[in-house]
Amino acid sequence: MKKNTVSVTTTANIALIKYWGKRDERLMLPAKSSLSVGLSALTTTTEFETAEHDKIVTTEHHQSNFEKKIMNFVNELRRDYGITQPIKITTHNHFPTAAGLASSASGFAALTLGLNKLFDLKLGKQELSQRARLGSGSAARSVLGGFVVWHKGTLANGNNCFAEQLYDANHWPTLRILVVVVDASIKKMSSRDGMRLTVTTSPSFNTWCTESEKRISAMHQAIAKRDLEQVGMLAEADWHGMYKSMRDTQPPLEYLSGASWVVIKTVQRLRAAGILCYFTTDAGPNVKILCEERDAAIIEQTLMALNEVNNIIRNRIACEPIIT
Ligand code: 2P0
C-alpha cells in the first residue's frame, strides 16, 4: 500500500436532466440518462487512514443509517478487491447551513475516490463512477467536476452505464446556481423509496423517460453554446416531466412545500420582468435557480425579502474533486 492517509473533497450536483427511477435496483442502474452540474459551495471532505479497527466519525447524525450505509459500501468494495485492511473514516459536509440538502452524491463520491487512493486500486474514471453509483445513483456524477452526463447504458450487467464529463468548470465561468433554502418542515420520503413507487405506479413515467432521454443531446448543445435561455427551458421542461410523474405516483409524492411554490412563482415573475432565471427542484423543498453572474444579486435580493426564504447559497460550476 502506497499511502496510509488520504483526504478527498467532492461537491454535490444538481441534475438539469433528471435521474428518477431505476431499471435495476440491485445494480443501481438508472431508468434513463441524466445530465448534471457540480455545485462549488456544497462540499464534503472525507479523510481516510489505515487503522487497527474500522471506525467512522461523522457529523451527519441526522441521516438515518448513515454509518451503516458507509460500512456496507466499504465492506462490499473490500470484498470485491480481496482487501482486509481496517480503516478509520472521518467525514464532514461543509454545507453552509443545516439545509436539508442531499449529501449522498458528494458523500459516496468522496468515499469511492478515497478508497481507490488508499487501497491503490487504480480505478479509471468510468469505473469510479460505476463504483460510486452502488452507494447512491447521483454519486456516479459527483466523481467528476463540471457538466457531467450519466449514461444509463443498455447492458443488463451495467458495464456501459457510467458518467462522463462534458465540460469542466472553465467552460462557463459566469453561470451561477443559487440554492434557495426554504423551511423544510415537509415530511420527506427517501429518493430510493419514492423512485420505486414512481416506476411501479406512475402512468406518465415511461413517456417522461423517452422524452427526457431525447433532451440530453439538446441540453448538451445548449451548454456548448452557453445559451442560458435554452438550458433553462430544457431544464424546466425536464423538471416538469419528473414532477408530473411524482404527482401521479400512487400514493402521490410531494417534495415541495408552499414556500417552494412561492420561490418558483417569484422566479417566473422575475423572468417575465426580463431577468433570465430558471428553476429546478429535486426530492426536497429547496429550489435551485440558474442565472448569470450579472443577475445573481438582484435575484438574491428579491428572494431574501420573502419570509419563506431562510438562506441562499450561491454556487459556481464545481471543479474536479480534490484528492491529497
Ligand atoms: C437527480 N435526484 O437527478 C435526481 C432528481 C432527486 C431528484 O438523484 O436511490 O439520492 O441513492 O440512487 O441518488 C436523488 O437520488 O437516489 C436524485 P439513490 P439519489 O439528481
Side-chain angles (χ1 to χ4, degrees), residues 13-22 25 28 32 34-36 69 102-105 108 133-141 150 188 190-193 195 208 242 246 255 280-284:
N13 67 73
I14 55 151
L16 305 176
I17 304 293
K18 302 292 187 186
Y19 151 54
W20 192 257
K22 298 177 178 68
E25 273 219 40
M28 298 285 284
K32 56 180 288 300
S34 57
L35 193 157
S36 65
K69 282 184 199 163
S103 57
S104 63
F108 281 106
R133 181 190 82 216
L134 302 178
S136 192
S138 51
R141 303 185 307 233
W150 177 23
K188 186 179 161 216
S190 77
S191 292
R192 200 152 304 185
D193 293 344
M195 284 183 202
W208 170 61
M242 180 183 74
M246 286 172 166
Y255 290 106
T280 189
T281 70
D282 295 297

Side-chain angles (χ1 to χ4, degrees), residues 58-70:
T58 174
T59 48
E60 306 308 302
H61 291 300
H62 58 280
Q63 293 211 7
S64 63
N65 289 328
F66 186 74
E67 292 175 26
K68 189 163 168 269
K69 282 184 199 163
I70 293 180

Side-chain angles (χ1 to χ4, degrees), residues 71-308:
M71 266 342 288
N72 287 345
F73 185 85
V74 172
N75 286 335
E76 201 173 323
L77 180 139
R78 281 194 295 217
R79 199 170 53 239
D80 288 352
Y81 290 94
I83 294 164
T84 52
Q85 173 68 55
I87 52 173
K88 180 182 172 194
I89 297 173
T90 308
T91 186
H92 175 65
N93 287 333
H94 302 276
F95 295 2
T97 58
L101 292 161
S103 57
S104 63
S106 52
F108 281 106
L111 208 50
T112 305
L113 295 169
L115 295 173
N116 179 50
K117 175 99 173 176
L118 189 78
F119 296 141
D120 198 23
L121 303 178
K122 298 189 168 67
L123 299 181
K125 286 182 179 170
Q126 291 188 10
E127 293 168 291
L128 288 167
S129 73
Q130 289 175 322
R131 176 58 61 170
R133 181 190 82 216
L134 302 178
S136 192
S138 51
R141 303 185 307 233
S142 271
V143 297
L144 301 160
F147 290 97
V148 174
V149 65
W150 177 23
H151 303 287
K152 75 175 179 118
T154 47
L155 300 173
N157 64 9
N159 279 358
N160 62 351
C161 171
F162 58 88
E164 179 183 21
Q165 186 181 67
L166 299 176
Y167 299 98
D168 69 17
N170 298 321
H171 174 69
W172 196 342
T174 57
L175 183 69
R176 294 293 176 270
I177 306 105
L178 311 179
V179 175
V180 184
V181 180
V182 297
D183 177 21
S185 54
I186 194 165
K187 173 119 176 59
K188 186 179 161 216
M189 180 185 280
S190 77
S191 292
R192 200 152 304 185
D193 293 344
M195 284 183 202
R196 188 181 304 123
L197 272 181
T198 298
V199 171
T200 49
T201 67
S202 160
S204 68
F205 179 68
N206 287 337
T207 306
W208 170 61
C209 285
T210 308
E211 287 169 358
S212 180
E213 197 72 35
K214 287 187 207 146
R215 264 184 217 113
I216 295 262
S217 63
M219 180 63 88
H220 188 165
Q221 284 169 35
I223 294 167
K225 290 186 276 184
R226 292 180 279 271
D227 181 343
L228 180 60
E229 192 172 350
Q230 197 58 26
V231 166
M233 278 167 36
L234 287 164
E236 287 194 1
D238 203 65
W239 169 85
H240 195 262
M242 180 183 74
Y243 184 72
K244 188 169 175 231
S245 71
M246 286 172 166
R247 294 299 295 147
D248 67 17
T249 293
Q250 288 308 322
L253 301 173
E254 180 56 280
Y255 290 106
L256 302 185
S257 66
S260 317
W261 285 107
V262 171
V263 174
I264 289 169
K265 299 260 183 270
T266 307
V267 170
Q268 291 168 336
R269 193 165 52 76
L270 284 165
R271 196 156 76 219
I275 295 169
L276 224 49
C277 53
Y278 298 86
F279 73 90
T280 189
T281 70
D282 295 297
N286 298 321
V287 181
K288 290 88 178 186
I289 299 175
L290 298 163
C291 66
E292 282 285 350
E293 180 186 20
R294 63 170 183 268
D295 297 323
I298 182 73
I299 297 166
E300 286 170 352
Q301 219 178 319
T302 308
L303 290 169
M304 283 308 289
L306 302 170
N307 287 335
E308 289 81 0

